[in-house]
Amino acid sequence: YVRPFHESGGTWRVSSRGGQTPTWKGDGREIYYLAPDGMLMVAPVTGAAPFQTGPPTPLFKVAVPDAADPQYDVSPDGKRFLVNQQISLKEEPITMLVNWAAALKKPS
């Protein structure tokens, strides 16, 4: 939802499925938010008086550690995103070379 900050008045629905951590584009013409399914969404702002948005569009899926806290930011022009992406923690085997300096000194 969007509502005026200092004024009393209405509230306007942006998403029918819910969302978190909204962020405005620098010129105020788009609202970005994280949908419950992990998609970063954008809703165009189509009118100022009265306030209106167009239908939200999915941009890309993100895997953020905690969607309750802002885990992404948008450049003022809306063309670049910085996302605190959670990575998969697969356990990979580690190969350790012991006494590798001595192996360099031996003739082959």
Side-chain angles (χ1 to χ4, degrees):
Y1 289 92
V2 171
R3 65 181 174 92
F5 181 69
H6 287 295
E7 305 170 18
S8 63
T11 52
W12 296 270
R13 183 184 291 233
V14 175
S15 168
S16 61
R17 297 183 312 132
Q20 301 184 78
T21 62
T23 300
W24 289 86
K25 183 177 173 187
D27 62 7
R29 294 184 180 179
E30 293 178 332
I31 301 172
Y32 303 91
Y33 64 92
L34 287 175
D37 64 358
M39 291 296 291
L40 185 62
M41 306 290 287
V42 60
V45 176
T46 57
F51 181 84
Q52 293 178 322
T53 61
T57 304
L59 295 175
F60 52 88
K61 190 155 182 91
V62 296
V64 294
D66 182 6
D69 294 326
Q71 298 290 331
Y72 72 96
D73 202 0
V74 183
S75 65
D77 62 4
K79 294 183 179 181
R80 293 179 307 249
F81 298 85
L82 180 64
V83 180
N84 183 15
Q85 186 87 351
Q86 184 173 344
I87 59 170
S88 173
L89 297 176
K90 296 179 186 175
E91 291 190 20
E92 299 284 335
I94 297 175
T95 303
M96 181 180 292
L97 297 176
V98 180
N99 202 13
W100 59 272
L104 291 176
K105 295 178 184 175
K106 292 182 183 178
S108 21

